[in-house]
PDB file of all heavy atoms in Angstrom:
ATOM      1  N   GLY M 264     -27.723   0.688   5.065  1.00 86.00           N
ATOM      2  CA  GLY M 264     -28.978   1.392   5.314  1.00 86.00           C
ATOM      3  C   GLY M 264     -29.994   0.515   6.029  1.00 86.00           C
ATOM      4  O   GLY M 264     -30.707   0.984   6.930  1.00 86.00           O
ATOM      5  N   THR M 381     -17.949   8.475  12.052  1.00 94.00           N
ATOM      6  CA  THR M 381     -18.941   9.547  11.857  1.00 94.00           C
ATOM      7  C   THR M 381     -19.685   9.793  13.164  1.00 94.00           C
ATOM      8  O   THR M 381     -20.082   8.844  13.843  1.00 94.00           O
ATOM      9  CB  THR M 381     -19.962   9.162  10.769  1.00 94.00           C
ATOM     10  OG1 THR M 381     -19.271   8.710   9.600  1.00 94.00           O
ATOM     11  CG2 THR M 381     -20.833  10.346  10.411  1.00 94.00           C
ATOM     12  N   PHE M 397     -31.205   5.528   0.393  1.00 80.00           N
ATOM     13  CA  PHE M 397     -29.953   5.592   1.144  1.00 80.00           C
ATOM     14  C   PHE M 397     -29.558   4.182   1.576  1.00 80.00           C
ATOM     15  O   PHE M 397     -30.123   3.638   2.527  1.00 80.00           O
ATOM     16  CB  PHE M 397     -30.101   6.497   2.378  1.00 80.00           C
ATOM     17  CG  PHE M 397     -30.429   7.930   2.069  1.00 80.00           C
ATOM     18  CD1 PHE M 397     -30.949   8.774   3.052  1.00 80.00           C
ATOM     19  CD2 PHE M 397     -30.212   8.461   0.803  1.00 80.00           C
ATOM     20  CE1 PHE M 397     -31.241  10.103   2.786  1.00 80.00           C
ATOM     21  CE2 PHE M 397     -30.505   9.794   0.525  1.00 80.00           C
ATOM     22  CZ  PHE M 397     -31.017  10.614   1.513  1.00 80.00           C
ATOM     23  N   LYS M 474       7.101 -19.657  17.309  1.00 92.00           N
ATOM     24  CA  LYS M 474       8.436 -20.244  17.359  1.00 92.00           C
ATOM     25  C   LYS M 474       9.123 -20.065  16.010  1.00 92.00           C
ATOM     26  O   LYS M 474       8.572 -20.444  14.982  1.00 92.00           O
ATOM     27  CB  LYS M 474       8.347 -21.729  17.715  1.00 92.00           C
ATOM     28  CG  LYS M 474       7.749 -21.994  19.093  1.00 92.00           C
ATOM     29  CD  LYS M 474       7.676 -23.491  19.375  1.00 92.00           C
ATOM     30  CE  LYS M 474       7.073 -23.748  20.756  1.00 92.00           C
ATOM     31  NZ  LYS M 474       6.977 -25.209  21.052  1.00 92.00           N
ATOM     32  N   ILE M 509       4.905 -23.544   9.085  1.00 96.00           N
ATOM     33  CA  ILE M 509       5.680 -23.444   7.848  1.00 96.00           C
ATOM     34  C   ILE M 509       6.923 -24.307   8.023  1.00 96.00           C
ATOM     35  O   ILE M 509       7.796 -24.003   8.836  1.00 96.00           O
ATOM     36  CB  ILE M 509       6.057 -21.980   7.543  1.00 96.00           C
ATOM     37  CG1 ILE M 509       4.790 -21.123   7.470  1.00 96.00           C
ATOM     38  CG2 ILE M 509       6.830 -21.896   6.232  1.00 96.00           C
ATOM     39  CD1 ILE M 509       5.059 -19.653   7.252  1.00 96.00           C
ATOM     40  N   ASN M 545       1.340 -28.922  -0.366  1.00 95.00           N
ATOM     41  CA  ASN M 545       2.222 -30.081  -0.423  1.00 95.00           C
ATOM     42  C   ASN M 545       3.688 -29.686  -0.567  1.00 95.00           C
ATOM     43  O   ASN M 545       4.013 -28.559  -0.952  1.00 95.00           O
ATOM     44  CB  ASN M 545       1.817 -30.988  -1.589  1.00 95.00           C
ATOM     45  CG  ASN M 545       0.475 -31.652  -1.350  1.00 95.00           C
ATOM     46  OD1 ASN M 545       0.056 -31.832  -0.207  1.00 95.00           O
ATOM     47  ND2 ASN M 545      -0.208 -32.008  -2.422  1.00 95.00           N
ATOM     48  N   ILE M 553      -2.524 -16.846  -6.949  1.00 87.00           N
ATOM     49  CA  ILE M 553      -3.868 -17.433  -6.915  1.00 87.00           C
ATOM     50  C   ILE M 553      -4.436 -17.378  -5.505  1.00 87.00           C
ATOM     51  O   ILE M 553      -3.716 -17.166  -4.526  1.00 87.00           O
ATOM     52  CB  ILE M 553      -3.876 -18.896  -7.419  1.00 87.00           C
ATOM     53  CG1 ILE M 553      -2.931 -19.766  -6.581  1.00 87.00           C
ATOM     54  CG2 ILE M 553      -3.517 -18.970  -8.885  1.00 87.00           C
ATOM     55  CD1 ILE M 553      -2.996 -21.236  -6.945  1.00 87.00           C
ATOM     56  N   PRO M 630       5.745  20.173   5.109  1.00 36.00           N
ATOM     57  CA  PRO M 630       5.446  19.656   3.779  1.00 36.00           C
ATOM     58  C   PRO M 630       6.074  18.303   3.562  1.00 36.00           C
ATOM     59  O   PRO M 630       7.054  17.930   4.198  1.00 36.00           O
ATOM     60  CB  PRO M 630       6.092  20.702   2.853  1.00 36.00           C
ATOM     61  CG  PRO M 630       7.202  21.269   3.685  1.00 36.00           C
ATOM     62  CD  PRO M 630       6.706  21.285   5.093  1.00 36.00           C
ATOM     63  N   TYR M 678      18.366   8.697 -11.321  1.00 92.00           N
ATOM     64  CA  TYR M 678      18.588   7.771 -10.206  1.00 92.00           C
ATOM     65  C   TYR M 678      17.301   7.046  -9.812  1.00 92.00           C
ATOM     66  O   TYR M 678      17.272   5.809  -9.712  1.00 92.00           O
ATOM     67  CB  TYR M 678      19.154   8.545  -9.018  1.00 92.00           C
ATOM     68  CG  TYR M 678      19.240   7.753  -7.732  1.00 92.00           C
ATOM     69  CD1 TYR M 678      20.298   6.881  -7.497  1.00 92.00           C
ATOM     70  CD2 TYR M 678      18.251   7.868  -6.753  1.00 92.00           C
ATOM     71  CE1 TYR M 678      20.382   6.149  -6.315  1.00 92.00           C
ATOM     72  CE2 TYR M 678      18.317   7.147  -5.579  1.00 92.00           C
ATOM     73  CZ  TYR M 678      19.380   6.289  -5.364  1.00 92.00           C
ATOM     74  OH  TYR M 678      19.435   5.566  -4.200  1.00 92.00           O
ATOM     75  N   SER M 688      12.145  -5.967  -9.577  1.00 86.00           N
ATOM     76  CA  SER M 688      12.657  -7.349  -9.622  1.00 86.00           C
ATOM     77  C   SER M 688      12.354  -8.089  -8.323  1.00 86.00           C
ATOM     78  O   SER M 688      12.438  -9.317  -8.280  1.00 86.00           O
ATOM     79  CB  SER M 688      14.168  -7.342  -9.875  1.00 86.00           C
ATOM     80  OG  SER M 688      14.869  -6.806  -8.762  1.00 86.00           O
ATOM     81  N   LYS M 690       9.557  -8.667  -6.970  1.00 80.00           N
ATOM     82  CA  LYS M 690       8.357  -9.499  -7.021  1.00 80.00           C
ATOM     83  C   LYS M 690       8.452 -10.616  -8.059  1.00 80.00           C
ATOM     84  O   LYS M 690       7.509 -11.373  -8.247  1.00 80.00           O
ATOM     85  CB  LYS M 690       7.130  -8.640  -7.309  1.00 80.00           C
ATOM     86  CG  LYS M 690       6.970  -8.172  -8.745  1.00 80.00           C
ATOM     87  CD  LYS M 690       5.634  -7.473  -8.903  1.00 80.00           C
ATOM     88  CE  LYS M 690       5.348  -7.122 -10.353  1.00 80.00           C
ATOM     89  NZ  LYS M 690       4.046  -6.489 -10.523  1.00 80.00           N
ATOM     90  N   PHE M 766      33.429   1.946  -9.971  1.00 87.00           N
ATOM     91  CA  PHE M 766      33.878   0.842  -9.123  1.00 87.00           C
ATOM     92  C   PHE M 766      35.071   1.235  -8.259  1.00 87.00           C
ATOM     93  O   PHE M 766      35.290   0.658  -7.187  1.00 87.00           O
ATOM     94  CB  PHE M 766      34.251  -0.363  -9.999  1.00 87.00           C
ATOM     95  CG  PHE M 766      34.507  -1.616  -9.215  1.00 87.00           C
ATOM     96  CD1 PHE M 766      33.447  -2.320  -8.659  1.00 87.00           C
ATOM     97  CD2 PHE M 766      35.797  -2.092  -9.023  1.00 87.00           C
ATOM     98  CE1 PHE M 766      33.674  -3.477  -7.924  1.00 87.00           C
ATOM     99  CE2 PHE M 766      36.030  -3.244  -8.291  1.00 87.00           C
ATOM    100  CZ  PHE M 766      34.962  -3.947  -7.738  1.00 87.00           C
ATOM    101  N   GLN M 778      30.566  -9.090  -5.782  1.00 86.00           N
ATOM    102  CA  GLN M 778      29.865  -9.632  -6.943  1.00 86.00           C
ATOM    103  C   GLN M 778      30.442  -9.127  -8.263  1.00 86.00           C
ATOM    104  O   GLN M 778      30.496  -9.870  -9.247  1.00 86.00           O
ATOM    105  CB  GLN M 778      28.370  -9.278  -6.873  1.00 86.00           C
ATOM    106  CG  GLN M 778      27.609 -10.012  -5.797  1.00 86.00           C
ATOM    107  CD  GLN M 778      26.106  -9.844  -5.950  1.00 86.00           C
ATOM    108  OE1 GLN M 778      25.570  -9.850  -7.053  1.00 86.00           O
ATOM    109  NE2 GLN M 778      25.410  -9.687  -4.839  1.00 86.00           N
ATOM    110  N   GLN M 787      39.248  -4.422 -17.079  1.00 82.00           N
ATOM    111  CA  GLN M 787      40.575  -3.809 -16.982  1.00 82.00           C
ATOM    112  C   GLN M 787      41.595  -4.557 -17.845  1.00 82.00           C
ATOM    113  O   GLN M 787      42.426  -3.943 -18.517  1.00 82.00           O
ATOM    114  CB  GLN M 787      41.032  -3.794 -15.528  1.00 82.00           C
ATOM    115  CG  GLN M 787      40.242  -2.826 -14.653  1.00 82.00           C
ATOM    116  CD  GLN M 787      40.555  -2.976 -13.187  1.00 82.00           C
ATOM    117  OE1 GLN M 787      41.003  -4.031 -12.729  1.00 82.00           O
ATOM    118  NE2 GLN M 787      40.328  -1.902 -12.434  1.00 82.00           N
TER     119      GLN M 787
END
Side-chain angles (χ1 to χ4, degrees):
T381 310
F397 298 162
K474 298 179 180 179
I509 303 177
N545 292 335
I553 58 175
Y678 171 81
S688 68
K690 76 174 187 178
F766 189 74
Q778 290 192 39
Q787 290 171 336

